[in-house]
Amino acid sequence: FSDVSGSRRFKRRVAAFGILSAFIIIGGLTFFWRAMIFNEERVQIAVSGAQSVASAEEVTFTITYENDNWRSLKNTALIFSYPESFHPQDENGKEIKGPVIEIPVGTITANAKGQVVIKGKFYGFKGDVAYLKATLRYSPGGTEAVFEKTTQLGTNIFSSPLSLEITAPLELASGQD
């Protein structure tokens, strides 16, 4: 009779330990799974283009974005900020507001990448450095949180389109031509 009650107690302990283990495993997997679905570090943005340009020369910048998550990014917009010395070309689908171009991207699906090309000209003095900034604003699928990822690129103006040279005598006397 005592062997039967000891056996029941042992079975109850094993069952309780099994249930507790199952809860811990399920909780750990849930935490791990959520981390795998979206990680802010898996969203990338980069700006590439000329790092040295002549003033008034047309230049092209490519903004590349990538979503390496298992979830889509929704309500995505690309914001390109530039200094007053940069004059972008008007292009369809790009809304220009002062020194900012906002480009609606929409939804970036899981494990996808894309790019946007912006053309324009710099007008400035030789030696000026202009910084272009690109920001990707997005909301991960399944949440209303808004995230931003930003990068920038410096471009040096190495020449000016206008050169002025004056030739005159060093001294001028009255009555001299």
Side-chain angles (χ1 to χ4, degrees):
F1 185 71
S2 67
D3 283 338
V4 173
S5 66
S7 175
R8 279 187 182 164
R9 197 173 316 140
F10 177 74
K11 287 180 182 178
R12 285 183 185 165
R13 286 185 182 166
V14 168
F17 180 74
I19 291 171
L20 180 62
S21 297
F23 279 125
I24 291 172
I25 290 171
I26 289 171
L29 287 175
T30 302
F31 181 76
F32 178 73
W33 181 256
R34 290 190 70 173
M36 291 286 291
I37 290 176
F38 177 74
N39 184 345
E40 189 176 358
E41 298 298 317
R42 292 187 180 144
V43 176
Q44 300 297 323
I45 182 170
V47 179
S48 60
Q51 293 183 336
S52 290
V53 297
S55 186
E57 173 186 355
E58 184 174 281
V59 64
T60 300
F61 293 100
T62 303
I63 304 166
T64 307
Y65 53 87
E66 182 176 358
N67 175 21
D68 200 24
N69 284 292
W70 290 6
R71 259 193 189 176
S72 296
L73 305 178
K74 61 182 183 174
N75 301 325
T76 307
L78 186 64
I79 299 131
F80 184 72
S81 305
Y82 52 90
E84 290 181 9
S85 60
F86 183 72
H87 297 269
Q89 292 180 349
D90 290 335
E91 297 181 34
N92 294 336
K94 297 179 175 93
E95 183 179 340
I96 300 174
K97 297 177 187 174
V100 175
I101 299 173
E102 187 164 340
I103 304 161
V105 177
T107 300
I108 303 173
T109 59
N111 297 307
K113 58 176 81 172
Q115 67 181 20
V116 172
V117 175
I118 295 179
K119 295 179 182 179
K121 295 180 180 180
F122 283 99
Y123 294 98
F125 298 107
K126 180 179 178 179
D128 284 354
V129 178
Y131 290 96
L132 306 165
K133 185 170 82 169
T135 302
L136 187 69
R137 185 184 317 137
Y138 59 91
S139 295
T143 179
E144 296 301 318
V146 177
F147 292 88
E148 288 187 349
K149 190 84 159 202
T150 301
T151 189
Q152 73 176 14
L153 175 71
T155 300
N156 180 39
I157 299 174
F158 67 83
S159 71
S160 183
L162 179 62
S163 177
L164 186 60
E165 187 176 316
I166 299 175
T167 307
L170 295 174
E171 293 183 23
L172 188 61
S174 84
Q176 184 182 4
D177 287 334

